[in-house]
Amino acid sequence: MVREDGKRNFALREANGETSVFSGNTPRQAALKAARRLDPAPSEDDADRIELRLREKGTDKVHIYEGWAWRETAPDDKPDWMPSEITEANVSKKGIEHLDE
């Protein structure tokens, strides 16, 4: 279901039963937002890959991604408010499931 601003809402259900909603123009954009909330590793190579299952609101689609996050030094031209170390994230799409409801 698309909002007036063109963004779509995606619900992430975590293993502990909590649900978070991320919005984006594409499922990947929402998955990247979700991945940035993962516990970051010291480097990208050391990061654990976690499965992210995002259900698109208003549809029967579940977008499945593998996500990981890591810490990185902020760029030299960073704004004053940005910390010196930031969290970076990446995702890789694994597929789409359709719910039988």
Side-chain angles (χ1 to χ4, degrees):
M1 181 170 253
V2 180
R3 300 184 330 198
E4 284 185 24
D5 61 1
K7 293 189 180 191
R8 295 150 48 190
N9 290 321
F10 300 88
L12 171 70
R13 176 156 299 177
E14 298 181 33
N16 61 7
E18 290 184 27
T19 304
S20 300
V21 177
F22 298 93
S23 61
N25 293 325
T26 64
R28 184 174 190 275
Q29 188 177 32
L32 283 167
K33 290 178 182 181
R36 289 209 44 218
R37 295 222 182 146
L38 297 173
D39 189 26
S43 70
E44 185 174 10
D45 292 334
D46 296 335
D48 292 329
R49 295 342 197 222
I50 307 293
E51 183 179 82
L52 304 171
R53 299 174 67 85
L54 295 162
R55 177 170 183 184
E56 187 171 350
K57 298 268 188 136
T59 72
D60 67 346
K61 294 179 185 176
V62 178
H63 300 269
I64 304 167
Y65 286 88
E66 183 179 70
W68 60 97
W70 68 94
R71 289 257 173 228
E72 199 163 279
T73 304
D76 294 335
D77 60 348
K78 71 178 181 65
D80 293 337
W81 54 264
M82 186 182 282
S84 59
E85 200 171 76
I86 58 173
T87 301
E88 291 281 342
N90 203 356
V91 294
S92 173
K93 186 136 189 182
K94 296 298 173 198
I96 297 175
E97 284 182 3
H98 293 275
L99 299 176
D100 300 327
E101 290 187 19

